[in-house]
Amino acid sequence: MENNIFLKNVKSFIQMHSDGLLGGEIMPEDVLIGVVKEEELMDVLTLAMALNYQRNSYTLWESVVKAYQNPETNWIFNPILAANKNINELRAALLLHRVGLQPNRHPEIWQRVAKRIVKSSEKENVQGLIQSVQSDIATLKGIVQESRKSDFPYLSGPKIFNYWLYVLERYTNVSWKSRELITIAPDTHILKATVKLGLCSEEILNGGADDSKTVAIAWETALAGSGLAPIDVHTPLWLWSRAGFPPLLVS
């Protein structure tokens, strides 16, 4: 496909998203809006995202809201409390509203991430972590995906890491440096939409690590010089797929 035609199609579904023509769908994390306090949102998004692996995202974030609104369990979203709590108490709280599903693995991951967040700055929260790297994605990537990778299970994976950066930008006041480094987060909907647009062949629908990398590189290449960063197309692309690929309104 000629790149100018491709970019017209991309701009078309972005406009359709802006005009509310993609089925009126909301993103899974939208359930947090108006529920989670602004000053706690970074911590909630980060800790819960650390368990967003092979999960139904809508169900996960609905569970997060239930746990957050329950006075008996909302402490799990406080990194300091989660880092220092008895693991059995943490397990019970995570499982109560099904924020965690695996009784051993998920509490261990949650607490490990919480401990690293606490150690990352004097603020002992995600905001402090981000401020410690001066909102620079390259530096943060070096920590989460390299030097401290073992402290960020799941979150250090390329798909979840990039999506985490995206939701922090979308739902909080984070303004990233070098945001062009946020690659598209290729889940099932992104893969299907990428094929639908003709950017990649159907072979990438297997969804393996190599397929995800292929898709990420393809989007970086296709959008180079367009004024769009790959992550800018994530939500409209995702919703376009979820809506069943309504015809693009290309002028």
Side-chain angles (χ1 to χ4, degrees), residues 22-46:
L22 295 180
E25 290 281 358
I26 63 171
M27 296 300 287
E29 300 82 8
D30 286 350
V31 296
L32 304 181
I33 298 173
V35 175
V36 178
K37 296 177 182 178
E38 183 177 347
E39 64 271 20
E40 298 174 348
L41 196 50
M42 288 185 184
D43 296 329
V44 173
L45 283 167
T46 300

Side-chain angles (χ1 to χ4, degrees), residues 17-173:
H17 173 237
S18 298
D19 294 341
L21 299 177
L22 295 180
E25 290 281 358
I26 63 171
M27 296 300 287
E29 300 82 8
D30 286 350
V31 296
L32 304 181
I33 298 173
V35 175
V36 178
K37 296 177 182 178
E38 183 177 347
E39 64 271 20
E40 298 174 348
L41 196 50
M42 288 185 184
D43 296 329
V44 173
L45 283 167
T46 300
L47 287 167
M49 189 66 69
L51 298 189
N52 194 15
Y53 178 70
Q54 296 183 340
R55 302 278 299 269
N56 180 305
S57 293
Y58 285 99
T59 302
L60 168 62
W61 293 105
E62 288 167 1
S63 295
V64 167
V65 168
K66 291 176 183 177
Y68 181 84
Q69 292 179 318
N70 184 343
E72 299 298 319
T73 56
N74 60 14
W75 59 266
I76 65 176
F77 301 107
N78 181 312
I80 298 173
L81 296 179
N84 293 288
K85 206 72 167 181
N86 175 279
I87 194 67
N88 291 322
E89 292 181 72
L90 178 59
R91 178 182 297 109
L94 286 172
L95 296 179
L96 181 62
H97 295 292
R98 298 182 64 79
V99 174
L101 299 180
Q102 299 177 26
N104 295 318
R105 180 72 171 148
H106 283 174
E108 188 272 331
I109 289 174
W110 193 281
Q111 191 161 69
R112 193 188 305 183
V113 173
K115 286 181 177 179
R116 176 44 53 190
I117 290 170
V118 169
K119 292 178 181 178
S120 68
S121 73
E122 291 183 358
K123 286 190 174 182
E124 301 181 310
N125 59 18
V126 176
Q127 183 182 44
L129 168 62
I130 293 172
Q131 289 177 345
S132 73
V133 299
Q134 299 180 313
S135 302
D136 191 295
I137 289 175
T139 305
L140 184 60
K141 185 174 183 178
I143 294 171
V144 176
Q145 294 191 311
E146 296 173 21
S147 65
R148 295 295 181 181
K149 183 176 181 178
S150 63
D151 291 329
F152 295 98
Y154 294 161
L155 202 59
S156 59
K159 186 186 300 185
I160 296 181
F161 176 73
N162 283 286
Y163 191 65
W164 172 56
L165 299 178
Y166 164 71
V167 297
L168 286 177
E169 181 183 73
R170 178 179 171 90
Y171 295 98
T172 75
N173 60 358

